RNA sequence: GGCCCUGUAGCUCAGUGGUAAGAGCACCCGGCUCAUAACCGGCGAGACGCAGGUUCGAAUCCUGCCAGGGCUACCA
């Protein structure tokens, strides 16, 4: 089974921030999870580089657009390894192969009769040489930059017949209940659709930094169409000697933020249908992370959280874990460094890290590091039954927080198990030797299976634990409690996984 | 203007018709010693935003109101 997942591509005009990290991490977790399940997985991310803002910024800084894009794309690319995010390809919309493919697809849309020449009317600023959109215009129809009065001007544009897809999109929403998630986002998309679709302009005449319109070289495509197509074009050239389109299209999940919902749930499937291509199976809209005060993060409020500040202090695993644990995935929620520190200490260090430490230490101390071929406790095993299926079901529903919570309940369960069984007392009683074998083997197996399940969330730490347990297999088939009970397992003690910060 | 979301314990939240409303964190008390002074147990007199309504029964459905946030088509 193939699984193709994407993040939205980052607009290179801005700086990488926590929102980019959040989306990339969530997507990476799902990609890793599917790789564990041996699904044929492809994970795409990248940068969106065309359009007027980039051209303007480049000019203002004395660069050619392409040079400016090179400079900034590098920043986004460099963020990923800091987060433990490992995509299969990083697309840039200025890639010549992308541009070529965009032209191919949109030419098809044109040939299929979904493009016509029309007139775009808007408020125009002669000083900016640019159209302004309604919501940026000042009182009295003035330019937000020059504060001069704007004039209504017309520009000849090519339009995309979005309205022609009204009923097809309605059918798509009706037939594919999972097309947009969570339900809140789906409602918003359906409400928009119910309002009736209008055609949208597809090209720009006054701009050169974009993909040239093949049937009229005096236009470039409006950046959104160029950008959306990245999900499709990347497959055609991500691998030098293979076109992956057949293998992965249509996409399984497009992970996006709620600000671009309309483009991904309405324009995008319509565009694909117009080109005779299959629309994606799903679009999932994650929430926005807010400042610790519950307000939108902003420089002026100083309530932002820099992902690199977190990784520098606590590591990439901690950031990944924190973001998916702290805020219900799909909802907005507040985050701050104090909350990171709390989760790090209480959960990663005390719950999981310490569980690993005490388990390894007891096996080393009481059984000379060897718990191979010992039976596990059936009562404990019962409490782990079905866990891998529960977790994978949650992740299939893109409920990352829910899946993680299911796992964490068992992390807590294992710490309680230690207290209930009191291995240190069993160790003093020779008659309890068999029982101690069982208890230690059960702990070994419990930590091992949970580490397999946690691997997508905290890949570095779990890899260390699994290696220390002598069972490095991260395949999902190994996630079930009991899978490795009979295997040879010699453990090694390791330093604290999530060391406490010095006071 | 229209549409939508949120409002549950000190904090952050889960809980969408049914036994005495839950979790984590924080606080306090107790236990243990394998472990990163970690872990385990105990401890909540909460008007489930306010006011009505539907129902045998509502945090959970409906109406109105209050407070906060979002969307309302071509900025990405």
């Amino acid at each position: 089974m193939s699984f193709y997942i994407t993040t939205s591509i980052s607009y290179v005009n801005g700086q990488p921030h926590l929102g980019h990290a959040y989306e990339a991490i969530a997507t990476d977790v799902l990609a890793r999870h599917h790789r564990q399940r041996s699904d044929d997985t492809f994970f795409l991310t990248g940068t969106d580089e065309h359009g007027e803002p980039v051209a303007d910024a480049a000019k203002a800084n004395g660069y050619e657009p392409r040079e400016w894009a090179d400079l900034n794309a590098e920043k986004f690319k460099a963020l990923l390894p800091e987060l433990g995010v490992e995509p299969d390809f990083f697309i840039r919309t200025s890639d010549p192969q992308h541009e070529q493919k965009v032209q191919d697809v949109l030419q098809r849309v044109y040939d299929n009769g979904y493009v016509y020449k029309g007139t775009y009317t808007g408020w125009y600023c002669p000083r900016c040489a640019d159209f302004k959109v309604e919501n940026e215009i000042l009182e009295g129809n003035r330019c937000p930059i020059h504060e001069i009065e704007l004039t209504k001007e017309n520009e000849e544009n090519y339009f995309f017949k979005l309205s022609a897809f009204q009923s097809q999109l309605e059918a798509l929403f009706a037939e594919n209940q999972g097309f947009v998630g969570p339900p809140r986002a789906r409602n918003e998309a359906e409400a928009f659709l119910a309002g009736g679709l209008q055609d949208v302009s597809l090209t720009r005449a006054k701009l050169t930094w974009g993909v040239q319109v093949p049937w009229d070289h005096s236009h470039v495509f409006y950046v959104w169409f160029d950008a959306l197509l990245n999900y499709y074009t990347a497959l055609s050239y991500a691998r030098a000697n293979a076109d992956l389109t057949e293998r992965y299209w249509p996409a399984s999940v497009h992970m996006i933020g709620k600000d671009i919902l309309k483009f991904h749930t309405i324009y995008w499937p319509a565009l694909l249908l117009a080109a005779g291509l299959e629309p994606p199976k799903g679009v999932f809209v994650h929430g926005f992370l807010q400042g610790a005060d519950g307000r939108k993060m902003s420089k002026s409020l100083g309530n932002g959280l820099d992902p690199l500040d977190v990784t520098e202090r606590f590591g990439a695993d901690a950031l990944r874990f924190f973001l998916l644990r702290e805020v219900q995935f799909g909802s907005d929620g507040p985050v701050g460094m104090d909350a990171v520190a709390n989760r790090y200490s209480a959960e990663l260090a005390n719950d999981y890290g310490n569980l690993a430490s005490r388990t390894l230490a007891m096996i080393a101390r009481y059984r000379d590091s060897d718990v191979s071929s010992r039976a596990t406790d059936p009562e404990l095993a019962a409490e782990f039954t079905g866990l891998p299926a529960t977790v994978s079901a949650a992740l299939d529903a893109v409920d990352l927080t829910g899946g993680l919570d299911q796992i964490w309940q068992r992390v807590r369960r294992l710490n309680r198990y230690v207290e209930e069984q009191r291995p240190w007392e069993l160790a003093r009683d020779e008659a309890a030797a068999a029982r101690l074998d069982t208890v230690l083997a059960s702990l070994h197996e419990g930590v091992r299976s949970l580490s397999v399940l946690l691997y997508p969330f905290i890949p570095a730490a779990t890899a260390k634990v699994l290696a220390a347990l002598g069972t490095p297999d991260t395949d999902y088939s190994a996630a079930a409690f009991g899978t490795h009970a009979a295997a040879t397992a010699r453990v090694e003690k390791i330093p604290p996984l999530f060391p406490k910060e010095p006071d």
Side-chain angles (χ1 to χ4, degrees):
Chain A
M1 185 189 142
S2 80
F3 182 79
Y4 176 32
I5 188 167
T6 68
T7 67
S8 60
I9 50 177
S10 307
Y11 202 59
V12 285
N13 232 21
Q15 294 294 318
H17 56 65
L18 188 65
H20 298 108
Y22 186 45
E23 187 171 299
I25 287 168
T27 307
D28 185 69
V29 168
L30 288 174
R32 286 177 187 267
H33 172 71
H34 280 272
R35 289 188 199 117
Q36 279 187 299
R37 282 157 66 174
S38 302
D39 288 338
D40 181 19
T41 301
F42 198 82
F43 165 18
L44 177 73
T45 188
T47 45
D48 178 12
E49 309 188 357
H50 289 132
E52 206 167 346
V54 172
D56 290 349
K59 195 175 175 188
N61 289 280
Y63 288 93
E64 287 301 310
R66 171 72 207 205
E67 296 172 334
W68 182 245
D70 285 348
L71 223 54
N72 285 300
E74 206 43 54
K75 295 181 195 167
F76 285 93
K77 211 167 185 172
L79 176 67
L80 302 177
E82 300 298 322
L83 308 173
V85 169
E86 296 176 355
D88 294 298
F89 188 61
F90 189 99
I91 188 172
R92 298 182 52 189
T93 57
S94 62
D95 291 339
Q97 302 98 316
H98 167 77
E99 298 188 1
Q100 173 68 53
K101 198 77 184 177
V102 166
Q103 291 177 326
D104 291 350
V105 173
L106 288 169
Q107 179 70 52
R108 234 182 300 163
V109 172
Y110 181 84
D111 293 342
N112 289 342
Y114 294 112
V115 176
Y116 62 92
K117 205 166 197 177
T119 307
Y120 174 75
T121 305
W123 293 103
Y124 183 79
C125 173
R127 209 88 64 85
C128 298
D130 181 28
F131 285 96
K132 301 292 164 186
V133 288
E134 292 291 342
N135 61 11
E136 63 178 342
I137 295 172
L138 303 179
E139 287 283 319
N141 294 323
R142 289 171 183 283
C143 170
I145 298 165
H146 300 98
E147 300 188 9
I148 58 172
E149 232 174 281
L150 303 173
T151 52
K152 275 262 189 202
E153 296 260 349
N154 298 325
E155 179 179 294
E156 204 166 61
N157 271 342
Y158 292 93
F159 277 70
F160 171 55
K161 265 191 212 173
L162 182 63
S163 60
F165 295 91
Q166 181 79 34
S167 60
Q168 283 186 70
L169 288 182
E170 284 167 2
L172 174 65
F173 276 85
E175 285 160 20
N176 182 356
Q177 287 302 313
F179 179 55
V180 181
R184 188 184 304 138
R186 182 190 168 87
N187 289 342
E188 201 171 316
E190 285 189 305
F192 179 79
L193 185 57
L197 299 179
Q198 292 174 27
D199 295 342
V200 292
S201 84
L202 176 67
T203 69
R204 290 293 133 94
K206 291 193 164 73
L207 196 64
T208 53
W209 179 234
V211 178
Q212 198 172 55
V213 174
W215 61 84
D216 184 341
H217 292 183
S218 68
H219 287 244
V220 296
F221 286 110
Y222 173 42
V223 65
W224 257 109
F225 291 93
D226 157 21
L228 284 166
L229 277 164
N230 90 86
Y231 305 127
Y232 180 74
T233 64
L235 296 177
S236 69
Y237 70 97
R239 294 291 174 266
N241 299 311
D243 187 324
L244 305 175
T245 310
E246 278 295 306
R247 188 164 154 194
Y248 293 114
W249 195 260
S252 307
V253 182
H254 293 308
M255 190 70 78
I256 63 165
K258 59 186 181 179
D259 52 334
I260 53 178
L261 176 140
K262 185 176 64 201
F263 296 97
H264 283 79
T265 61
I266 306 291
Y267 290 27
W268 178 225
L271 182 68
L272 289 166
L273 290 168
L277 299 170
E278 229 181 311
K281 293 177 208 155
V283 176
F284 192 87
V285 183
H286 65 252
F288 281 166
L289 300 174
Q290 305 157 327
D293 55 5
R295 297 206 276 176
K296 188 172 175 176
M297 285 191 194
S298 78
K299 274 177 222 131
S300 53
L301 288 172
N303 61 350
L305 183 63
D306 183 333
L308 296 181
D309 285 349
V310 176
T311 56
E312 197 177 307
R313 189 168 155 195
F314 297 106
D317 278 359
L319 176 64
R320 297 167 67 97
F321 175 82
F322 171 77
L323 292 177
L324 297 176
R325 180 102 170 115
E326 182 75 1
V327 177
Q328 182 69 37
F329 196 71
S331 301
D332 295 351
V335 294
M337 196 58 102
D338 288 349
V340 178
N342 285 341
R343 293 269 182 205
Y344 178 86
S345 170
E347 300 191 320
L348 289 176
N350 296 351
D351 287 349
Y352 178 69
N354 185 51
L355 173 64
S357 292
R358 69 200 305 208
T359 297
L360 293 169
M362 286 190 285
I363 293 170
R365 182 160 163 176
Y366 301 136
R367 285 297 178 267
D368 194 25
S369 299
D370 184 358
V371 287
S372 56
S373 303
R374 268 120 177 162
T376 52
D377 186 333
E379 286 183 32
L380 185 68
E383 296 187 50
F384 282 69
T385 302
L387 184 60
T390 303
V391 170
S392 59
L395 296 191
D396 283 347
V398 202
D399 180 8
L400 299 173
T401 314
L404 185 51
D405 189 59
Q406 284 292 324
I407 300 168
W408 217 256
Q409 286 179 28
R410 270 57 170 217
V411 171
R412 294 204 163 97
R413 178 66 189 98
L414 286 184
N415 276 318
R416 206 178 328 126
Y417 184 73
V418 176
E419 303 302 321
E420 288 168 1
Q421 302 300 326
R422 301 171 167 270
W424 48 94
E425 285 184 10
L426 297 176
R428 289 186 217 116
D429 178 2
E430 280 181 28
R435 181 64 196 166
L436 181 57
D437 281 344
T438 300
V439 168
L440 294 180
S442 300
L443 283 170
H444 181 278
E445 183 59 9
V447 174
R448 189 200 60 75
S449 63
L450 292 179
S451 297
V452 174
L453 292 171
L454 284 170
Y455 163 76
F457 296 91
I458 47 173
T462 50
K464 281 189 221 167
V465 172
L466 290 168
L469 290 169
T471 52
D473 186 5
T474 58
D475 191 273
Y476 211 67
S477 62
F481 187 100
T483 325
H484 281 58
T488 299
R490 278 201 65 84
V491 309
E492 285 169 22
K493 289 176 75 169
I494 50 174
L497 286 171
F498 298 100
K500 285 295 179 63
E501 290 187 291
D503 289 326

